[in-house]
Amino acid sequence: MPLALLAVAAVVFARAPLEAELSSRADDLLIEIGESWARASFDGRDALLEGEALSEEARIKVRAELARLSGVRIVADATTLLPERRPFTFSVIRDGNNLRLEGYVPSRFARARIVESARKMAPDIKVSGEENLVRARGVPAGDFAGVVAFGMEQLARMPAGRVTISDDAFSIEGRAPDFSTYDALEVTVRTDLPGDFKLARFAVLPPTVSPFIWSAQREDDGVLLAGYIPLGEARRALLDAVRGAVPGAAISDQLRLADGAPNSEGWLKAAAFALQQLGRLPGGKVTLVDTTISIEGAAPDFASYDALAAARRAVPEGYTLIRFGVEPPNVSPFTFGVLRSANRIRLVGYAPSEDAKRLLQDAVRAGFPGTAVSDEMRIASGGPTAESFVAAVSFGVGQLAKLRTGELRGNGYTLSVAGEAQDAAAFAAVNAALAAPLPGGFTLAKADVRPPLVSPYVFGLRKDGQGLTVSGFYPDRAAHEALLAQAKRELLGIPVNDVSSVALGAPEGFVAAAQAALRELARLDSGEVRFDDHKLHISGAALFPSAIDAIREALRTELPPGFTAEVTLEVAPPPPPMDRTGCQKALADILDRSGILFQPGTATLDPSSRGVLDHLAAVVSGCPEATIEIVARAPEANPPVAEAGQEAAPAAGLAAARAQAVADYFAALGIASQRLIAFAGTPPVADGGRPIEFSVR
């Protein structure tokens, strides 16, 4: 018995090392031949082969190789075939630091390699699903674990994504964090994918951009497209739109796919709309920023500009045209006008911009409410700035509103205003405004503003204790100033209240008639002159009875042809008596305010002196007991030459004759001639001195 036990023990202890050696050599062999799925166990030198094979060929291969292993006597095959999966799928899903593995693997070795690659994909990565990976037959040819590892390398570039392998088809999806990553992913996946596999789907989304900007710009040889383009088929549709808008143009496509675009269909409509406008703008540019559109460029002609301006009202729904920077055609000269007739306003010529034209229209509507406006104005460049244009035309329309009819015209930076003023106040206001610097840097080229036309043409002069009141109308400034100067001289400097105004419509000879009437008004103590076209009426109180007929006769002979005079005069009450001192002072006071004038070089009294002579005579009549010496002095220089048809007199004789002419004038008014002593005085009168003086005795 002891011997038997020793024999058994010897056999047992001798087999164990043999079995261990054969098992180790078998494991090395299976790895060497690439069939690590199989496992071999030994009972002595007899092998038991177990495992799930990927194919019958693999089982046969393993049995044959194991049977040839030195020391192996018998191989018992207990292997089975793995289930076959069609399609053979595998997925890697990343969501931040979480990575999930799903699908089939061909072997434990492949699974271990995949899991190891997953754990090395990114720091702090958490891998799940490895325990649920199922071994199966049907794996595609090639390095399956290697292509899975390649996919995980691409997922490492994105914060989230998915790689799917279905048989030999490789798909990747996700969102790139930036454009450089997106570009690198696309290049890598399309060029470096392991050769036994094909790219079925590249669904990596580009970055989301905001704002979403796209532009198209005309260049000499084509159209440059830049910015972003939505996903999908937008690029093809956009290129077709470019070819339709700019036929034959070379297209430089610098567009990038990006996410963040508005609704794709609406975006394409807006881009097509913008490209239609670009087709009308050589050198132009159109831009979309989210849901806004900008159009810039220079219109080559008015037809193109009008079409572009009309397109502003046809922007696709959901989009807004925020900039219309289209320069209109250039014109020279740049002219414009606002023409006013009795019941209509016409806008003609050019305006520098749509906004400037609109502001002009607003000014016209405000200045001429209810008046029909005919807009014939076009938009053009080459003229003043919009700001200067608006300032100038607004000013001009303000002046035009004061005219009954008229025109405001401009050429570059010059303005012209012409027309008939509504009334005298408007005439004065317009002329004052045009005399000041014009707004907007403009200068006045021409001003032809006419006074209002009135009918009947009335004019009045009223002389009373308060002074002279001038009313009605005068034809021009020169006539007005001449009448006022005459009134100041002949009416002894009395205060003048001037309420007259300028107007057209004066009858021919009006100024001469008004001057003649003013001369006779100067002879009255008080009175009024009134013109109604050609009819003159003079009324008031004459200083002497004989003056009434003299005034009537003077008007008859001195009024221009066509004028008639109606004279209604009475005699003023005689002045209160004065003593000699009062009489002397009163005469000196009159001569201080106005002197006695003669025709040049003669002793003939000038008609303009009749007023002062009548008032001097009235003073003389107020001191009936006094003798009046009338002294005339010759001027220091040679006397003026007499007018044609008159004979010049020697200086001393001329002085005596002039003194006598004054005495004769007084006598004709009823002053007793014996009270009047006329003679020439010495020395000669100096410049500024009185040629006639009176001395009361």
Side-chain angles (χ1 to χ4, degrees):
M1 177 62 91
L3 290 173
L5 292 174
L6 287 173
V8 170
V11 171
V12 170
F13 284 112
R15 290 177 61 182
L18 177 63
E19 291 173 351
E21 180 187 358
L22 289 173
S23 294
S24 175
R25 288 166 57 199
D27 287 342
D28 291 342
L29 174 65
L30 293 173
I31 291 174
E32 182 180 344
I33 66 175
E35 302 293 345
S36 60
W37 57 271
R39 299 181 305 277
S41 61
F42 285 85
D43 182 7
R45 290 189 299 129
D46 296 336
L48 176 64
L49 190 59
E50 298 176 300
E52 293 179 312
L54 292 174
S55 65
E56 187 62 34
E57 291 79 6
R59 294 177 70 193
I60 295 171
K61 176 182 177 182
V62 169
R63 286 197 306 268
E65 293 294 332
L66 191 59
R68 285 195 293 269
L69 185 67
S70 175
V72 176
R73 186 177 62 182
I74 298 172
V75 176
D77 187 359
T79 62
T80 60
L81 284 173
L82 289 172
E84 186 176 19
R85 300 301 180 191
R86 295 294 184 194
F88 195 93
T89 60
F90 192 89
S91 297
V92 184
I93 304 106
R94 181 180 186 183
D95 183 7
N97 286 332
N98 297 314
L99 191 73
R100 181 170 180 79
L101 307 177
E102 296 178 351
Y104 307 111
V105 291
S107 65
R108 289 188 302 272
F109 175 80
R111 176 168 54 194
R113 183 180 170 192
I114 289 171
V115 172
E116 182 183 5
S117 296
R119 289 173 177 159
K120 293 179 179 179
M121 191 182 81
D124 302 323
I125 197 75
K126 297 176 182 178
V127 181
S128 62
E130 58 183 301
E131 67 281 357
N132 296 321
L133 296 178
V134 178
R135 292 179 63 237
R137 286 187 300 134
V139 66
D143 185 1
F144 179 79
V147 79
V148 173
F150 171 83
M152 287 190 288
E153 289 174 2
Q154 311 319 309
L155 283 181
R157 299 175 174 181
M158 297 185 289
R162 181 186 186 107
V163 167
T164 302
I165 301 169
S166 179
D167 292 335
D168 64 347
F170 181 92
S171 299
I172 184 169
E173 56 188 287
R175 183 181 296 282
D178 50 56
F179 282 110
S180 61
T181 300
Y182 179 84
D183 293 341
L185 277 168
E186 186 172 25
V187 170
T188 301
V189 170
R190 295 187 186 277
T191 60
D192 296 343
L193 185 67
D196 290 326
F197 291 83
K198 62 185 179 183
L199 180 63
R201 182 167 178 257
F202 182 82
V204 176
L205 297 176
T208 298
V209 297
S210 181
F212 196 91
I213 302 173
W214 169 87
S215 67
Q217 183 168 355
R218 293 278 296 273
E219 298 181 327
D220 291 341
D221 56 351
V223 177
L224 170 64
L225 302 178
Y228 306 114
I229 189 171
L231 306 175
E233 298 298 319
R235 187 184 300 271
R236 178 181 299 174
L238 190 65
L239 294 178
D240 289 343
V242 173
R243 296 184 186 101
V246 191
I251 300 175
S252 175
D253 184 353
Q254 299 181 12
L255 297 171
R256 298 213 61 154
L257 280 173
D259 207 356
N263 172 271
S264 182
E265 182 179 355
W267 187 91
L268 281 173
K269 288 182 179 178
F273 165 83
L275 287 168
Q276 287 175 355
Q277 314 322 312
L278 186 67
R280 302 183 174 104
L281 286 172
K285 182 178 181 180
V286 292
T287 306
L288 269 62
V289 180
D290 292 333
T291 57
T292 64
I293 302 174
S294 298
I295 303 173
E296 304 170 70
D301 49 52
F302 283 111
S304 298
Y305 184 84
D306 292 343
L308 287 161
R312 299 173 69 178
R313 298 183 289 274
V315 177
E317 184 177 358
Y319 283 75
T320 304
L321 183 65
I322 61 168
R323 172 168 167 72
F324 184 77
V326 177
E327 294 183 16
N330 190 288
V331 297
S332 181
F334 190 97
T335 59
F336 54 91
V338 182
L339 317 181
R340 181 184 186 186
S341 61
N343 53 9
R344 183 186 178 201
I345 301 292
R346 290 177 60 208
L347 307 182
V348 299
Y350 306 103
S353 70
E354 294 284 354
D355 287 342
K357 180 179 176 181
R358 177 178 53 79
L359 292 172
L360 168 59
Q361 291 169 336
D362 290 345
V364 168
R365 282 191 289 268
F368 307 96
T371 303
V373 179
S374 174
D375 183 5
E376 304 165 27
M377 186 170 278
R378 308 200 73 163
I379 308 302
S381 58
T385 65
E387 182 180 0
S388 295
F389 175 86
V390 171
V393 296
S394 296
F395 164 81
V397 168
Q399 309 317 310
L400 197 60
K402 300 180 180 74
L403 306 182
R404 184 175 287 112
T405 59
E407 296 181 353
L408 167 69
R409 291 191 179 272
N411 187 336
Y413 274 89
T414 65
L415 278 185
S416 296
V417 181
E420 179 187 338
Q422 292 182 353
D423 51 42
F427 177 79
V430 171
N431 279 302
L434 295 179
L438 302 187
F442 274 68
T443 57
L444 187 65
K446 181 181 180 182
D448 184 19
V449 178
R450 301 180 300 279
L453 178 65
V454 297
S455 181
Y457 203 85
V458 295
F459 179 73
L461 300 165
R462 186 179 72 251
K463 177 185 176 184
D464 55 26
Q466 304 300 315
L468 177 69
T469 299
V470 184
S471 61
F473 303 102
Y474 55 86
D476 53 56
R477 183 181 300 274
H480 182 241
E481 293 177 351
L483 286 170
L484 292 183
Q486 180 183 350
K488 180 179 180 180
R489 182 179 66 252
E490 297 183 11
L491 275 69
L492 309 181
I494 63 174
V496 176
N497 177 29
D498 182 13
V499 294
S500 62
S501 56
V502 66
L504 298 180
E508 185 178 356
F510 167 79
V511 175
Q515 291 174 330
L518 180 58
R519 284 196 296 270
E520 304 313 311
L521 180 66
R523 303 181 68 179
L524 304 182
D525 180 59
S526 62
E528 183 174 7
V529 167
R530 182 169 183 83
F531 282 92
D532 189 344
D533 285 337
H534 290 84
K535 297 178 180 178
L536 165 65
H537 179 76
I538 182 168
S539 60
L543 294 171
F544 297 95
S546 59
I548 296 176
D549 289 338
I551 290 171
R552 184 177 285 110
E553 179 61 20
L555 291 175
R556 185 186 69 79
T557 58
E558 295 177 10
L559 284 177
F563 282 84
T564 60
E566 180 182 341
V567 180
T568 307
L569 296 174
E570 58 186 21
V571 180
M578 292 181 287
D579 58 17
R580 288 180 174 82
T581 301
C583 186
Q584 183 70 62
K585 182 178 182 305
L587 291 171
D589 180 60
I590 292 174
L591 291 176
D592 284 341
R593 289 182 284 164
S594 182
I596 300 172
L597 300 179
F598 294 87
Q599 296 291 339
T602 72
T604 303
L605 288 164
D606 192 279
S608 64
S609 294
R610 291 199 287 257
V612 66
L613 289 168
D614 278 21
H615 284 82
L616 289 168
V619 171
V620 170
S621 67
C623 44
E625 302 300 325
T627 298
I628 308 300
E629 292 181 351
I630 305 171
V631 183
R633 290 186 174 86
E636 288 182 331
N638 293 329
V641 178
E643 293 182 357
Q646 295 180 329
E647 183 178 347
L654 178 61
R658 287 181 170 180
Q660 187 58 50
V662 173
D664 293 344
Y665 188 93
F666 284 1
L669 291 175
I671 306 297
S673 57
Q674 58 270 27
R675 296 179 52 213
L676 303 173
I677 301 173
F679 58 92
T682 56
V685 65
D687 288 345
R690 295 173 183 166
I692 300 291
E693 291 185 344
F694 295 90
S695 179
V696 181
R697 298 285 185 253

